[in-house]
Amino acid sequence: MEIFDGQMCVFGGKSVSTSVNIDDFLLDYRCVDVTKTVEQAQPKWKLQNSASQFAMPPLAQHTTVYDRVNHVIVPFGGQSPNGFSKAINLAVYCSMFQAWGASNVLDRDIRRYVHTSVLQDKTGDMIIFGGASDPTTADGQDLNAGNGERWFDVNRLVLDDARHNAYNTSSNATLGSILKDDGQGTPDVIRGVIHHSSVLLNDTLMVVLGGDVYVNESAVMQPFDLLHIYNVDTMKWHTQECTGDIPPLRCAFSASQHERHIYMFGGVNVNDWSTFFNDLYELDTLTWTWRKMPTPNAPSPRYAHQMKTLGKYLIVTHGFIYYEDGTNGGDEDIYFYDLQKETFVTRYSPSGISKRELDTEWRVQRTGATDAVSAVCLLLVVLVALIAVYYMLSMLFTRLRPRPRRQSRGEGILSFVESYTETFRPSTHHARASQDTAMFATETKLAGLNARSHSMSEGTTTIIENEQQTNALRESKRHARILDEDAATPYVSRKLTLSARIPTYSSRRNSAHQTVHFTPSTQSEDIIELNTLSSHSDDDSLDEIRSPLAITN
């Protein structure tokens, strides 16, 4: 069981059956969110799925360590199902990506189980001690035909060669190397110990608690009044006498450290495998004194369970349980022991637990500023998306919209005349005359009356002198009238040009108080002059000023 990224996770394991069939193994890992309140009964275990194509191998009675520097969890050893061949490379779990993968560590040695392992943070080494191998761990090999093979010496698995070689300057170990400590040998009384627990104090001293060894084909359990301690740096053993409330002999219990104290809970007497424990003991590592802790509301007696320290809580879960009615079984409830109140409580609260203990300090913490930046970024993304949608829809509607019919030449002329006859500014002297687009049709007819016209030099205006035909058309012809509100301002010269292809008109204004419109002609006119300049005075302000008409071929 490991606590990482705000979760408490249990990896692998098997049912209470003693067989090693594939159906007896749990082929998954499950977690509980410990950043929130957790109830003791029926906690919300969440089955996790690997984010990679790899999955956790089926293992039971193995050990795990969590390297916070590299964010990897490394399981080691354990039993395997019958007929299951171990992988060549050791499987590891990356907590940052929540995925299993094959490491560079070669799983070359025969596996062991019921051993212990601890992680030395400064070197990145997994310190492995004790354990046994049998047909369930050795790919079916029959080791020593009964009790199997016992592991005597301390080994270390290099999980981070850079940290290892930086601390051990004389070493040149590679990643995944399994090194046998060449220091003082293991004391005879604990050689080949199994079902024990180990705790690493101050990242240096590995304290070995309890367990049993085989002497003359019988299990001999280790006492708790004399502990064996291994210095990981100097590779030397020494013993430590303890006083106080010495715990009874037991194996397969769990131990955990909180500050200077070591706590031990549960266990079983392996001589009869029927005496179960649910008591809790505290060992003060300054005075090496044992104290039996009060355990109101304690869970059922059990062994082969898991226990971790988180803040002020001891967390106990799973295990092989002995019930009061004499039956055995498993348990998925989680039990929380409050070290301050010295009692088991029914609810866990993360209040007061540091981010380092929860392993959440590496996360990017959300603040008001980060929320504001996230909101602005989201708003910009939505805005860009709306603009893109609007652009695409407008392009779609443009393609689907029917195109307007192309105007003919005559319709273009009429449209131009209508726009030309719009009044620039209403006149204060005369009402605006109604617009009549028939003028251009009449003027066009004048272009054909060239019977009596004569041509002048190039660039000059042709003067139409056909008086008779001109008088006949004058009744329907309209003149352009320029009205001026200011008598002192001269009228402007205007030119109306009709060509055989495109009619054009240009006008120049000398005053902002001029209005252009068309009125019917009532006076006779002999000659239509082109490009003339007229003036206006107070006496003839209401006279009609005939507009010149220029016709170009």
Side-chain angles (χ1 to χ4, degrees):
M1 183 172 68
E2 299 293 340
I3 297 175
F4 62 92
D5 194 21
Q7 301 180 95
M8 183 187 71
C9 296
V10 175
F11 297 87
K14 62 188 295 292
S15 66
V16 296
S17 173
T18 57
S19 64
V20 287
N21 297 320
I22 186 65
D23 295 336
D24 298 324
F25 286 77
L26 301 177
L27 306 178
D28 57 47
Y29 68 103
R30 56 195 66 191
C31 303
V32 171
D33 188 353
V34 290
T35 62
K36 302 177 182 179
T37 301
V38 181
E39 300 291 339
Q40 169 195 314
Q42 298 180 348
K44 296 181 180 179
W45 289 102
K46 183 179 179 182
L47 182 64
Q48 303 291 330
N49 295 318
S50 175
S52 67
Q53 61 180 342
F54 297 96
M56 178 183 175
L59 295 174
Q61 300 194 62
H62 56 287
T63 59
T64 59
V65 295
Y66 177 43
D67 185 1
R68 292 174 179 262
V69 176
N70 297 311
H71 298 280
V72 293
I73 295 173
V74 182
F76 185 83
Q79 290 178 308
S80 298
N82 290 331
F84 183 85
S85 298
K86 66 179 181 180
I88 299 177
N89 296 82
L90 197 66
V92 297
Y93 178 80
C94 179
S95 63
M96 182 174 293
F97 299 103
Q98 298 184 2
W100 285 94
S103 68
N104 295 328
V105 180
L106 296 178
D107 198 2
R108 292 170 293 191
D109 291 345
I110 297 176
R111 281 182 180 166
R112 65 182 81 180
Y113 73 119
V114 294
H115 60 283
T116 60
S117 62
V118 295
L119 179 70
Q120 188 178 31
D121 290 329
K122 59 187 175 184
T123 61
D125 294 341
M126 176 192 285
I127 311 301
I128 307 164
F129 178 64
S133 297
D134 59 21
T136 66
T137 64
D139 297 333
Q141 299 180 40
D142 187 7
L143 303 175
N144 290 345
N147 295 328
E149 179 179 336
R150 298 297 180 97
W151 296 84
F152 300 143
D153 299 315
V154 176
N155 298 93
R156 60 182 68 212
L157 173 61
V158 179
L159 301 179
D160 190 333
D161 52 351
R163 286 153 64 191
H164 175 89
N165 295 329
Y167 186 80
N168 302 283
T169 56
S170 59
S171 175
N172 191 24
T174 59
L175 178 66
S177 301
I178 298 180
L179 308 177
K180 178 182 177 182
D181 285 359
D182 53 3
Q184 180 184 0
T186 304
D188 293 337
V189 293
I190 59 171
R191 284 173 61 87
V193 66
I194 58 175
H195 299 126
H196 58 290
S197 291
S198 297
V199 176
L200 189 63
L201 295 177
N202 302 322
D203 208 35
T204 302
L205 301 176
M206 182 176 68
V207 181
V208 179
L209 302 169
D212 64 275
V213 295
Y214 270 90
V215 177
N216 297 325
E217 297 185 359
S218 63
V220 177
M221 294 182 289
Q222 298 299 306
F224 292 95
D225 57 353
L226 183 66
L227 302 180
H228 293 82
I229 301 175
Y230 180 73
N231 189 310
V232 178
D233 294 336
T234 62
M235 304 180 186
K236 293 182 179 181
W237 289 92
H238 71 274
T239 58
Q240 177 65 54
E241 293 184 357
C242 299
T243 58
D245 302 328
I246 305 300
L249 299 178
R250 67 190 68 191
C251 297
F253 55 90
S254 59
S256 183
Q257 177 189 359
H258 177 64
E259 297 177 350
R260 73 182 195 186
H261 298 100
I262 297 175
Y263 295 91
M264 182 181 69
F265 177 79
V268 64
N269 187 320
V270 296
N271 288 327
D272 55 17
W273 292 98
S274 60
T275 304
F276 290 52
F277 298 94
N278 67 342
D279 48 5
L280 177 65
Y281 285 86
E282 176 191 72
L283 175 62
D284 189 335
T285 58
L286 290 181
T287 61
W288 297 102
T289 302
W290 286 101
R291 180 172 76 98
K292 186 175 182 180
M293 305 284 289
T295 55
N297 306 317
S300 301
R302 65 192 63 206
Y303 73 91
H305 52 283
Q306 301 287 323
M307 185 171 72
K308 282 286 184 181
T309 304
L310 181 59
K312 65 177 182 179
Y313 296 99
L314 292 175
I315 304 178
V316 179
T317 186
H318 292 89
F320 189 87
I321 303 169
Y322 176 80
Y323 294 105
E324 295 179 356
D325 59 359
T327 60
N328 299 327
D331 185 6
E332 289 191 351
D333 289 349
I334 304 177
Y335 301 91
F336 306 99
Y337 187 84
D338 192 323
L339 293 173
Q340 296 177 354
K341 298 179 181 180
E342 295 189 350
T343 181
F344 281 95
V345 295
T346 59
R347 178 178 297 176
Y348 154 88
S349 174
S351 177
I353 300 179
S354 67
K355 294 179 181 179
R356 174 170 177 77
E357 291 178 291
L358 292 171
D359 190 44
T360 57
E361 59 184 353
W362 59 274
R363 291 181 180 176
V364 178
Q365 302 298 322
R366 293 183 59 182
T367 62
T370 56
D371 289 341
V373 172
S374 300
V376 170
C377 293
L378 179 61
L379 182 61
L380 290 176
V381 170
V382 173
L383 182 60
V384 171
L386 290 177
I387 293 175
V389 171
Y390 172 78
Y391 177 76
M392 289 188 294
L393 290 178
S394 62
M395 294 293 294
L396 179 62
F397 291 156
T398 301
R399 291 181 176 272
L400 296 178
R401 185 175 56 190
R403 297 183 179 180
R405 185 177 59 86
R406 188 185 184 101
Q407 290 183 343
S408 64
R409 183 178 302 175
E411 291 174 339
I413 294 174
L414 294 179
S415 176
F416 176 76
V417 171
E418 290 177 357
S419 64
Y420 169 73
T421 57
E422 290 291 334
T423 303
F424 294 110
R425 182 175 182 271
S427 173
T428 58
H429 301 284
H430 300 277
R432 181 184 304 172
S434 62
Q435 300 177 358
D436 189 356
T437 58
M439 172 188 173
F440 266 76
T442 304
E443 296 291 349
T444 305
K445 292 180 180 181
L446 293 177
L449 300 179
N450 54 0
R452 296 180 56 187
S453 63
H454 63 277
S455 299
M456 302 178 65
S457 61
E458 184 179 358
T460 61
T461 307
T462 303
I463 301 176
I464 302 175
E465 298 178 346
N466 192 339
E467 180 177 348
Q468 182 178 0
Q469 296 187 23
T470 300
N471 292 335
L473 295 173
R474 186 172 287 116
E475 292 300 326
S476 61
K477 173 176 171 289
R478 296 179 183 272
H479 289 279
R481 181 185 298 272
I482 301 177
L483 302 178
D484 193 355
E485 295 179 352
D486 188 1
T489 304
Y491 284 108
V492 299
S493 172
R494 58 187 301 274
K495 180 174 65 176
L496 183 62
T497 304
L498 293 177
S499 65
R501 311 180 87 181
I502 301 176
T504 59
Y505 170 75
S506 62
S507 175
R508 296 189 301 274
R509 300 174 56 192
N510 291 340
S511 173
H513 304 288
Q514 299 171 0
T515 304
V516 179
H517 62 92
F518 295 96
T519 56
S521 175
T522 58
Q523 298 180 3
S524 61
E525 181 177 358
D526 296 335
I527 299 176
I528 300 177
E529 297 181 355
L530 304 178
N531 294 334
T532 61
L533 181 64
S534 304
S535 60
H536 180 65
S537 62
D538 294 337
D539 297 335
D540 56 356
S541 59
L542 299 180
D543 294 344
E544 295 182 0
I545 306 301
R546 291 184 293 275
S547 173
L549 181 67
I551 301 176
T552 60
N553 295 324

